[in-house]
Amino acid sequence: MKCPHCGDQHPDQASFCPKTGKTLKQPDVCANCGANLPSDVSFCPVCGTAVNSTQSSIIQLKISQVLKQPRVRLALIICFIFAFGMCAMVLSNIKPITPAQQIPTKNTTISTPTLRKFSTATTRPTSLPTTKPISTQINLQPIPADYKCPDRNRINLQVGAFAEIVKLDVNLREQPIVPQVSDANVILVLRKGDKVQVIDGPTCSHDGTWWKVKTESGRVGWAREISKGNVLLTRTDE
């Protein structure tokens, strides 16, 4: 068998040329387009692909054919423009670090103009407290001599005094009464340790003495000093 690639004679049972490595037998169909190949042809009469072309060359041919299409070229140009625009947008948002933002190393000295001197004198706070504290001024008012209530001999508070919740939770109410629905006029519940200042009273209601008090957060309402024999508010300014 004469090799169509190198021209040498090879055994009839040989399938590939020992010099070029190409096939010695002509395929029946074109590897590119699949058309039937006549005998003793070197190129496909339909697509022009070499009969003994390798797989890689066929792939390159197909890629070149695809790239020649106008729609493919237009799509590649659009993708390139889009990728270029995205890169430009990302680069524009990256801000360079200025020397002032760099973290000084151990050997870096801080210039004296950047240091801020603080006065040792006492200054007023720049921000206001979140809650209004109870006034520390004490302007005590005596209990009226004609005040009568079952617990008159046990009460210890008076207008202007400071007190603390010492035993049970105390309901701070809008009025010195307990309605049929007991929590209908409750403003908030005072817990043990809460501090208040008496600003009005006394008022006798439900056989007990009530005082109008102001909490540390500025809430105002009525609370009992003694309930069912338990002292709820104890004086703290004595």
Side-chain angles (χ1 to χ4, degrees):
M1 179 186 297
K2 184 179 180 178
C3 179
H5 308 291
C6 66
D8 294 344
Q9 291 291 334
H10 302 303
D12 293 340
Q13 65 271 19
S15 299
F16 296 91
C17 175
K19 290 185 177 181
T20 63
K22 297 181 180 180
T23 180
L24 296 176
K25 296 180 180 180
Q26 179 178 312
D28 296 333
V29 294
C30 177
N32 180 38
C33 65
N36 294 325
L37 296 175
S39 60
D40 298 331
V41 294
S42 299
F43 297 91
C44 176
V46 177
C47 65
T49 303
V51 174
N52 294 318
S53 297
T54 60
Q55 188 67 22
S56 60
S57 62
I58 294 175
I59 294 175
Q60 293 177 359
L61 178 61
K62 290 184 177 180
I63 292 175
S64 62
Q65 291 176 350
V66 172
L67 293 177
K68 289 179 181 179
Q69 298 180 10
R71 291 182 295 179
V72 176
R73 290 184 177 182
L74 179 60
L76 291 175
I77 293 174
I78 293 175
C79 292
F80 175 78
I81 295 175
F82 177 78
F84 180 80
M86 291 298 295
C87 293
M89 183 181 299
V90 172
L91 292 175
S92 63
N93 292 330
I94 299 177
K95 297 181 180 179
I97 299 177
T98 60
Q101 295 175 335
Q102 295 178 353
I103 300 175
T105 59
K106 294 182 179 179
N107 296 329
T108 304
T109 57
I110 302 175
S111 57
T112 54
T114 60
L115 296 177
R116 184 179 177 183
K117 296 181 179 180
F118 294 90
S119 174
T120 57
T122 303
T123 58
R124 294 182 178 180
T126 56
S127 60
L128 296 176
T130 56
T131 58
K132 185 177 179 181
I134 299 176
S135 174
T136 56
Q137 297 180 355
I138 301 177
N139 185 15
L140 300 178
Q141 298 180 14
I143 299 175
D146 57 349
Y147 176 71
K148 295 180 181 180
C149 201
D151 59 355
R152 171 66 177 83
N153 296 329
R154 296 190 57 191
I155 60 175
N156 192 34
L157 298 179
Q158 60 187 115
V159 175
F162 292 89
E164 181 180 350
I165 310 302
V166 292
K167 195 161 187 176
L168 303 175
D169 293 341
V170 177
N171 291 325
L172 188 67
R173 300 181 182 273
E174 296 177 353
Q175 300 294 333
I177 57 174
V178 179
Q180 186 175 1
V181 179
S182 61
D183 58 348
N185 64 346
V186 175
I187 300 174
L188 59 86
V189 178
L190 301 174
R191 306 296 183 184
K192 182 178 179 180
D194 290 348
K195 295 178 175 56
V196 297
Q197 184 180 17
V198 180
I199 59 175
D200 197 3
T203 296
C204 187
S205 178
H206 300 280
D207 295 332
T209 298
W210 295 67
W211 299 96
K212 192 173 187 179
V213 299
K214 182 178 181 181
T215 67
E216 291 181 307
S217 61
R219 304 295 295 273
V220 176
W222 292 85
R224 292 186 64 167
E225 180 178 354
I226 302 173
S227 176
K228 298 179 181 180
N230 296 315
V231 177
L232 305 180
L233 300 176
T234 184
R235 189 165 177 171
T236 60
D237 56 6
E238 292 182 331

